């Protein structure tokens, strides 16, 4: 049974994923208060209320932009792009 990813592809995926994770950890320098605080317990939520509000706000904004470009762009470009399969002129 063949693997869906070859060895070199798995190395690239690992490199990219590890790079993004390390960038996420390296964006905020550690402070003394951060290093001295107690760990959060198991019963604390992983995503806080502020994080959830930011995630939902960004998702709504991105959907608004995408749908605006999708539908308003169709009306705007009917004269030049049309539905004939031609590129911009």
């Amino acid at each position: 049974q063949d693997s869906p990813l070859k060895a070199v592809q798995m190395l690239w995926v690992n490199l990219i994923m590890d790079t993004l994770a390390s960038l996420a950890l390296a964006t905020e320098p550690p402070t003394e208060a951060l290093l001295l605080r107690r760990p959060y317990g198991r019963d604390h939520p992983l995503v806080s209320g502020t994080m959830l509000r930011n995630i939902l706000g960004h998702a709504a904004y991105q959907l608004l932009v995408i749908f605006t470009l999708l539908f308003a762009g169709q009306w705007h470009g009917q004269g030049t792009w049309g539905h004939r399969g031609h590129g911009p002129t």
Side-chain angles (χ1 to χ4, degrees), residues 7-74:
V8 174
Q9 291 171 326
M10 288 179 65
L11 287 172
W12 274 106
V13 169
N14 191 17
L15 177 71
I16 291 169
M17 295 305 292
D18 287 348
T19 302
L20 294 176
S22 64
L23 283 174
L25 291 173
T27 54
E28 186 175 339
T31 61
E32 279 297 318
L34 184 63
L35 294 174
L36 294 176
R37 77 164 173 79
R38 303 270 308 155
Y40 294 120
R42 290 179 183 250
D43 57 342
H44 285 83
L46 186 61
V47 177
S48 68
T50 304
M51 289 170 60
L52 184 61
R53 189 176 65 239
N54 285 338
I55 290 169
L56 293 176
H58 282 280
Y61 172 73
Q62 289 178 9
L63 285 173
L64 177 74
V65 169
I66 289 294
F67 284 131
T68 301
L69 291 174
L70 180 66
F71 294 116
Q74 219 174 22

Side-chain angles (χ1 to χ4, degrees), residues 66-88:
I66 289 294
F67 284 131
T68 301
L69 291 174
L70 180 66
F71 294 116
Q74 219 174 22
W75 295 320
H76 174 70
Q78 267 184 334
T80 56
W81 291 59
H83 296 285
R84 301 181 195 140
H86 300 294

